[in-house]
């Protein structure tokens, strides 16, 4: 095994077997029952699951999809149950476990195995002599961090990562500590996720957030779902889509794959769905661009809207464009329209990878809609041209005034449950000067003014010896990130790596010279400070902010809350001259008072959180207030790029060059592997699979069931390869491949990022396939597709 390879996991039952049922349904119920038994949820207290997303319960640590009133009857969600059960597991990783297992030995375990060991119980420090993690006292741990941070000749030599589960309170205190320490180096998971949304939308509509609330879903007549797999990643969204479908709304899925949950859904909350073999039909139309084809597709739709408007004008019919909206609220339309008129249809069709008829059909559906919502996920954001794509989509919506109107709007669907909130409260490597001014004035210090490092630039800075200390508030940095071998070299070159974490993961094992594991409370657990239960607040994907109280007994008596860890790290490093860190950790309301002073929209924060369901933060673009330099929403013309790394590689290798997208299976939460099945895509007991079009397999001279090695094409002379992937025939457009993340992250070059967002291009990797020498882990893999 090469030094960056993780053992491939597969079970004796490994097989490929197409799934023929609606999404959710009985399969999901069965899963939930099995899961509860398997995880031995602490204390057998299954009420935990019923308190998920209830007004007096905790916010589901699964996804960022909002809840109805945050108070509906228990919203059933298979993957929410998995997330909760994983945190509430009765299994423990104690110091005795680490005494038995060296780091080298743990490195041979798969991510699935690491996850199975359970919750971490005590703070640990790496002992190089014995290659083991050994117990350390909390005070000593914070002293070690402080001594490293104080020793650095420049605060910019440290980087402070955040994963999107951190609460507003933990995140705000963290950024305050880090900025008082002196840097804006805040790499965070959103750099790899919806960054194209957050960086792209401010230029068109003035703010990098969605404009809809759940209420709008009740009034929409048309939904365009771009590059998203809700049945797996946002299961509660299916409930919303089901209602829309029942009402007769047109739902279009724009996705290279025909994802099951977008076809049919059997809602466990509706007996009729469960009794019928087909559930509820969700999408009426599937448009299937090639991977990375969305920009050209949307441009084609926008061009057609102009044509239809021209036709309407010529024949004296009602305009297709919302001319009033365009005149009153926007700038740049003429140049935008000229660019669309000049765009060639053959370029659009070739680059979108769909027939012209599909473009026209989508345009027809779009213009018939009186209230259109566009939602999007990672299928749009993890490409080189993602910023342009998100901007174009918002422009398409602006053409017919579909922003800031009831039942219409932009709906980026975020991933982590508080990833949006973390950014709102200051986890931002490129802060505005106005924010820094307010932060500095409130806490009486001069914040660092220069922009800091994002995820990719942090890894590069570590490789260049410029960043020596890494601190991670949650997440799994070493394996969620691209270019795994280089990232591991980077982490191993650090003087200190620190992980605030709930469960053992790969990042703890790929560590710096000194290394700490700091175990923390999960969101499901009771957080007592001085005998008083503390709540934390989070912001969902639709800008609803609400409070969350844990209700389980903590996994161990020796855990600290994230807030307490941040406060004590700050206290040890900076002392209490300017901020009484420990007082903030004793009463989170003080942190919220700080948020209210510094961040717009949080006035009376503590009071407003008392309302069940919380409050809407307010999104200016929703009210048709445009926070752009011109004060108007902006149309921006972008050309269809014909010189992307995919184009260049294809010029070199011809049709053998494939575009690989990396995606999530049904049994994982990002890098947390719950199981080895991907039920809706028919994969069981394994993860090292590669979905390919049968015609491509024939063209390449391969057959389903054969194993291949995958090599990326990148012009820096570095070999990027992963071995032994099982070829699975799949209904995927020609020239495209699909595989799971994180197994394929070694293929994503560090320098391959979205223009203007820095997001690794993990959904468009140029690759070549070769027959593999790797023995099939399971000899008899039945390929039934
Ligand atoms: N259970 C569970 N829930 C999760 C997560 C999890 O791992 N497990 N992760 C959370 C996080 S952090 C996030 S960001 C979200 C992610 O949720 P999603 O955005 O759904 O993420 P993915 O599964 O990566 O891929 C999304 C879809 O993009 C499609 N796609 C790939 N390439 C293209 C393309 O070029 N164009 C188009 N139109 N589509 C494309 C794929 O076929 C797939 O259906 O989910 C969150 N929720
Ligand atoms: N190739 C490829 N790469 C990708 C993606 C892709 O689609 N393809 N998706 C990207 C996306 S969208 C994202 S968001 C990133 C995800 O990147 P990360 O957010 O870094 O990764 P996660 O797997 O979500 O982190 C899981 C770990 O978080 C810790 N954890 C869980 N709950 C808590 C908690 O309450 N507190 C603390 N402190 N720790 C906790 C546990 O130790 C767990 O192992 O990955 C990105 N990487
Ligand atoms: Mo994400």
């Amino acid at each position: 095994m090469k030094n960056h390879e993780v053992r491939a996991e597969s079970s004796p039952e490994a097989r490929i077997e197409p799934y023929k049922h609606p999404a959710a349904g009985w399969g999901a119920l069965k899963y939930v029952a099995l899961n509860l038994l398997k995880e031995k949820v602490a204390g057998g207290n299954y009420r935990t699951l019923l308190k998920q997303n209830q007004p007096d319960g905790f916010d589901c640590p699964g996804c960022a999809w909002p809840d109805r009133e945050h108070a509906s009857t228990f919203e059933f969600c298979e993957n929410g149950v998995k997330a909760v059960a994983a945190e509430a597991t009765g299994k423990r990783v104690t110091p005795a476990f680490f005494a038995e297992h060296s780091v080298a030995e743990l490195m041979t375990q798969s991510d699935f195995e690491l996850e199975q060991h359970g919750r971490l119980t005590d703070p640990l420090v790496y002992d190089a002599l014995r290659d083991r993690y050994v117990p350390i006292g909390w005070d000593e741990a914070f002293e070690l961090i402080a001594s490293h941070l104080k020793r650095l000749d420049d605060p910019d030599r440290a980087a402070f990562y955040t994963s999107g589960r951190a609460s507003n309170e933990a995140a705000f205190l963290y950024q305050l500590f880090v900025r008082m320490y002196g840097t804006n180096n805040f790499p965070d998971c959103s750099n790899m996720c919806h960054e194209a949304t957050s960086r792209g939308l401010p230029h068109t509509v003035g703010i990098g957030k969605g404009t809809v609330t759940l209420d709008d879903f009740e009034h929409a007549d048309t939904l365009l779902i771009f590059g998203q797999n809700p049945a797996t990643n946002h299961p509660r969204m299916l409930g919303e889509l089901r209602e829309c479908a029942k009402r007769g709304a047109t739902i279009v899925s724009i996705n290279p794959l025909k994802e099951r949950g977008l076809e049919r859904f059997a809602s466990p909350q509706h007996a009729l769905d469960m009794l019928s073999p087909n559930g509820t039909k969700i999408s009426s139309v599937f448009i299937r661009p090639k991977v990375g084809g969305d920009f050209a597709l949307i441009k084609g739709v926008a061009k057609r809207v102009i044509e239809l408007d021209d036709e309407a004008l010529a024949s004296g019919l009602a305009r297709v464009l919302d001319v009033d909206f365009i005149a009153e609220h926007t700038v740049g339309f003429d140049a935008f329209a000229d660019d669309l008129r000049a765009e060639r249809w053959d370029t659009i069709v070739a680059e979108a990878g769909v027939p012209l008829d599909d473009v026209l059909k989508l345009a027809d559906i779009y213009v018939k809609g009186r209230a259109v919502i566009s939602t999007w996920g990672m299928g749009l954001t993890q490409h080189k041209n993602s910023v342009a794509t998100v901007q174009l989509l918002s422009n398409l919506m602006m053409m017919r005034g579909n922003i800031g109107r009831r039942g219409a709007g932009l709906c980026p669907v975020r991933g982590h449950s508080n990833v949006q909130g973390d950014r709102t409260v200051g986890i931002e490597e490129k802060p505005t000067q106005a924010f820094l001014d307010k932060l500095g004035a409130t806490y009486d210090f001069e914040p660092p003014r220069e922009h800091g490092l994002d995820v990719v630039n942090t890894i590069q800075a570590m490789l260049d010896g410029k960043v020596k200390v890494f601190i991670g508030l949650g997440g799994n940095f070493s394996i969620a990130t691209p270019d795994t071998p280089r990232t591991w070299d980077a982490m191993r070159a650090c003087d200190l790596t620190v992980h605030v974490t709930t469960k053992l993961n790969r990042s703890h094992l790929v560590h710096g010279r000194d290394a700490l594991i700091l175990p923390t409370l999960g969101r499901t657990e009771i957080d007592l400070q001085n005998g008083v239960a503390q709540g934390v607040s989070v912001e969902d994907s639709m800008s609803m902010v609400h409070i969350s109280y844990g209700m389980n007994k903590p996994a161990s008596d020796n855990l600290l809350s994230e807030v307490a860890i941040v406060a004590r790290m700050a206290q040890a490093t900076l002392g209490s001259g300017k901020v009484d860190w420990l007082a903030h950790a004793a009463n989170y309301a003080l942190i919220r008072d700080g948020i209210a002073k510094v961040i717009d929209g949080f006035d009376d924060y503590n009071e407003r959180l008392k309302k069940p369901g919380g409050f809407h933060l307010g999104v200016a673009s929703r009210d048709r207030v445009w926070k752009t330099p011109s004060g108007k929403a902006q149309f921006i013309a972008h050309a269809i790029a014909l010189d992307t790394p995919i184009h260049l590689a294809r010029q070199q290798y011809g049709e053998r060059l494939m575009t690989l997208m990396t995606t999530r299976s049904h049994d994982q939460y990002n890098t947390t592997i719950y199981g080895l099945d991907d039920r809706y895509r028919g994969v069981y007991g394994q993860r090292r699979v590669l979905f390919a079009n049968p015609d491509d397999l024939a063209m390449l001279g391969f057959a389903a069931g054969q194993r291949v090695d995958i090599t990326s094409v990148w012009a820096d002379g570095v070999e990027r390869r992963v071995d032994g992937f099982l070829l699975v025939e799949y209904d995927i457009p020609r020239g495209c491949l699909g595989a799971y993340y994180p197994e394929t992250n070694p293929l994503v070059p560090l320098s391959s990022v979205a223009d203007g967002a820095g997001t690794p291009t993990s959904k468009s990797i140029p690759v070549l396939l070769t027959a593999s020498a790797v023995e099939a882990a399971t000899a008899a893999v039945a390929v039934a597709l």
Side-chain angles (χ1 to χ4, degrees):
M1 239 169 14
K2 289 178 237 154
N3 93 323
H4 66 274
E5 272 186 9
V6 169
R7 194 162 73 72
E9 184 79 37
S10 82
S11 84
E13 298 94 57
R15 67 188 195 282
I16 306 291
E17 184 182 300
Y19 180 86
K20 301 213 166 70
H21 314 282
W26 296 111
L29 280 185
K30 186 172 125 203
Y31 182 91
V32 170
L34 287 175
N35 208 48
L36 295 184
L37 295 174
K38 191 178 79 198
E39 285 292 350
K40 297 196 212 70
V41 172
N45 185 359
Y46 304 134
R47 273 189 57 239
T48 303
L49 300 168
L50 303 173
K51 280 291 183 184
Q52 205 169 323
N53 295 350
Q54 299 296 298
D56 59 339
F58 57 87
D59 182 69
C60 178
C63 69
W65 188 257
D67 303 291
R68 292 228 149 253
E69 303 293 309
H70 207 65
S72 58
T73 49
F74 172 51
E75 277 211 68
F76 177 89
C77 166
E78 176 193 355
N79 279 344
V81 169
K82 287 185 200 168
V84 172
E87 189 165 296
T89 176
K91 298 181 204 150
R92 297 289 177 268
V93 197
T94 62
F97 171 91
F98 288 99
E100 268 175 44
H101 303 281
S102 69
V103 167
E105 190 196 329
L106 290 171
M107 274 304 282
T108 66
Q109 299 194 2
S110 69
D111 294 314
F112 173 63
E113 287 168 294
L114 293 180
E115 164 67 15
Q116 297 308 311
H117 297 305
R119 291 286 299 278
L120 291 153
T121 58
D122 295 271
L124 303 158
V125 66
Y126 180 66
D127 175 355
L129 278 180
R130 297 166 54 208
D131 186 34
R132 275 168 172 73
Y133 274 99
V134 298
I136 184 174
W138 280 107
D139 282 337
E140 241 185 299
F142 295 126
E143 278 314 319
L144 182 65
I145 295 172
S147 71
H148 272 279
L149 289 177
K150 287 186 209 165
R151 210 182 303 150
L152 294 176
D153 58 6
D154 181 340
D156 286 336
R157 293 195 182 282
F160 298 82
Y161 180 64
T162 312
S163 171
R165 273 198 198 181
S167 63
N168 282 355
E169 289 76 1
F172 181 79
L173 206 65
Y174 188 55
Q175 65 81 34
L176 179 60
F177 155 55
V178 171
R179 293 199 161 103
M180 279 193 160
Y181 171 67
T183 182
N184 284 312
N185 286 347
F186 288 105
D188 81 307
C189 72
S190 60
N191 297 147
M192 300 179 271
C193 185
H194 258 293
E195 197 72 327
T197 303
S198 305
R199 302 293 175 207
L201 288 184
H203 295 279
T204 55
V205 297
I207 176 170
K209 295 187 182 182
T211 65
V212 297
T213 64
L214 276 186
D215 191 49
D216 290 308
F217 278 77
E218 286 175 23
H219 301 283
D221 60 22
T222 305
L223 292 108
L224 310 181
I225 320 260
F226 286 90
Q228 227 203 308
N229 182 19
T232 288
N233 297 320
H234 307 91
R236 284 175 296 116
M237 179 177 175
L238 286 185
E240 242 29 84
L241 295 182
R242 178 183 180 277
E243 292 307 312
C244 295
K246 292 251 171 214
R247 237 190 25 246
T250 305
I251 302 180
V252 187
S253 166
I254 299 102
N255 195 316
L257 303 185
K258 214 167 173 182
E259 302 282 24
R260 184 82 269 216
L262 289 166
E263 289 185 83
R264 297 194 162 275
F265 170 53
S267 166
Q269 279 155 349
H270 296 86
L272 258 182
D273 270 15
M274 296 296 275
L275 293 174
S276 101
N278 295 326
T280 299
K281 185 172 174 202
I282 298 289
S283 295
S284 355
V285 180
F286 284 86
I287 303 285
R288 303 181 58 198
K290 65 181 179 187
V291 169
D294 303 83
F295 181 84
L297 172 66
I298 301 168
K299 195 156 186 185
V301 174
K303 180 179 170 69
R304 180 66 182 159
V305 172
I306 298 277
E307 285 183 358
L308 290 171
D309 187 66
D310 289 345
E311 287 168 18
L313 204 56
S315 43
L317 296 171
R319 295 291 296 265
V320 174
L321 292 167
D322 185 338
V323 280
D324 295 340
F325 177 85
I326 292 171
E328 189 184 341
H329 288 288
T330 74
V331 290
F333 181 75
D334 291 343
F336 177 74
D338 288 347
D339 177 65
L340 291 175
R341 288 178 204 281
E343 193 60 78
R344 295 170 55 102
W345 278 117
D346 54 353
T347 308
I348 289 170
V349 166
E351 294 302 314
V354 297
L356 180 59
D357 274 356
D358 276 7
V359 183
L360 304 184
K361 179 160 72 178
L362 185 54
D364 258 358
I365 292 171
Y366 176 64
V367 301
K368 280 199 187 106
R370 300 182 153 271
V372 184
I373 292 179
S374 284
T375 82
W376 69 96
M378 298 300 100
L380 284 203
T381 62
Q382 297 175 332
H383 303 279
K384 185 169 195 297
N385 64 352
S386 285
V387 168
T389 305
V390 168
Q391 291 181 341
L392 182 58
L393 179 56
S394 63
N395 282 171
L396 174 69
M397 297 289 279
M398 284 156 53
M399 292 173 91
R400 288 186 37 86
N402 274 311
I403 297 181
R405 164 144 53 84
R406 194 167 82 161
L410 303 172
C411 181
V413 183
R414 308 259 168 192
H416 270 297
S417 50
N418 196 39
V419 63
Q420 186 162 318
D422 289 345
R423 182 56 66 82
T424 302
V425 302
I427 303 299
E428 161 69 279
E429 78 278 5
K430 299 180 184 72
T432 64
Q433 298 303 318
F435 163 79
L436 294 175
D437 289 344
K438 234 165 154 186
L439 186 72
T442 307
Y443 290 97
D444 185 26
F445 77 111
E446 183 44 46
R449 295 285 168 172
E450 290 202 355
H451 286 175
L453 301 172
D454 63 6
V455 163
V456 161
N457 289 325
T458 293
I459 297 168
Q460 192 57 53
M462 287 172 173
L463 287 171
D464 298 341
K466 292 183 188 149
V467 161
K468 301 303 287 181
V469 172
F470 172 91
I471 297 182
L473 186 63
N476 195 354
F477 189 84
S478 75
I479 191 112
T481 49
D483 228 343
T484 313
R486 263 142 301 283
T487 295
W488 289 13
D489 287 348
M491 292 296 272
R492 287 173 171 146
C494 285
D495 290 338
L496 173 71
T497 50
V498 179
H499 294 279
V500 179
T501 183
T502 51
K503 294 184 108 174
L504 180 61
N505 69 36
R506 186 72 47 196
S507 298
H508 311 150
L509 309 177
V510 181
H511 55 79
R513 190 166 45 77
D514 284 337
L516 288 166
I517 299 177
L518 305 180
T520 189
L521 294 174
R523 201 181 288 162
T524 57
E525 291 167 320
I526 299 167
D527 180 357
L528 281 184
Q529 302 294 338
N530 291 338
V532 181
Q534 305 290 320
V536 293
S537 48
V538 294
E539 174 185 341
D540 66 31
S541 210
M542 295 183 192
S543 306
M544 291 296 300
V545 181
H546 53 257
I547 193 106
S548 165
Y549 282 96
M551 42 182 315
N552 284 346
K553 187 171 170 301
S556 143
D557 293 337
N558 204 12
L559 302 183
L560 292 182
S561 73
E562 286 182 345
V563 169
I565 290 173
V566 170
R568 287 176 64 177
M569 206 153 55
Q571 170 73 26
T573 310
L574 304 174
S576 52
K578 294 237 188 265
V579 175
D580 187 346
W581 302 101
L582 301 184
H584 284 75
N587 178 7
Y588 298 180
L590 294 182
I591 305 176
R592 288 187 287 271
D593 285 340
I595 295 175
K597 283 189 196 128
V598 176
I599 316 281
D600 291 341
F602 283 89
D603 315 285
D604 297 321
Y605 194 9
N606 281 301
E607 266 314 300
R608 282 155 82 204
L609 279 178
K610 288 181 184 154
K611 181 167 171 259
F615 61 94
H616 188 256
L617 203 48
V619 172
S621 46
R622 178 178 168 79
D623 302 324
R624 296 192 165 179
V625 173
W626 317 101
K627 297 199 160 178
T628 56
S630 64
K632 301 270 185 186
Q634 179 83 41
F635 283 99
I636 302 175
H638 289 288
I640 296 178
L642 299 172
D643 58 351
T644 66
I646 302 281
H647 288 91
L648 301 181
R650 195 152 282 153
Q651 280 165 20
Q652 201 180 345
Y653 293 97
E655 61 175 3
R656 297 182 70 82
L657 191 283
M658 299 277 148
T659 307
L660 172 70
M661 63 144 113
T662 62
T663 185
R664 291 152 173 81
S665 83
H666 194 64
D667 271 2
Q668 74 183 83
Y669 193 94
N670 298 337
T671 67
T672 300
I673 312 301
Y674 299 130
L676 303 178
D677 298 347
D678 190 9
R679 199 167 66 233
Y680 301 145
R681 299 199 189 104
V683 176
Y684 295 89
Q686 58 194 326
R687 290 181 48 84
R688 243 175 150 75
V689 296
L690 185 62
F691 301 113
N693 183 296
D695 293 338
D696 281 332
L697 289 184
M699 179 266 294
L700 293 168
F702 293 125
Q706 195 178 343
R707 288 199 185 254
V708 290
D709 300 340
I710 315 173
T711 308
S712 28
V713 175
W714 199 249
D716 61 358
V718 176
E719 183 186 58
R720 293 181 178 82
R721 201 181 87 200
V722 293
D723 293 347
F725 279 65
L726 181 80
L727 285 171
V728 175
E729 285 188 352
Y730 207 80
D731 185 5
I732 184 172
R734 288 291 309 262
C736 305
L737 299 168
Y740 301 129
Y741 127 79
E743 287 80 351
T744 43
N745 287 38
L747 296 172
V748 187
L750 195 58
S751 56
S752 177
V753 297
D755 298 332
T759 314
T761 57
S762 40
K763 299 250 191 303
S764 44
I765 316 171
V767 298
L768 296 169
L769 305 185
T770 46
S772 181
V774 172
E775 285 289 305
T778 42
V781 191
V783 177
L785 272 173

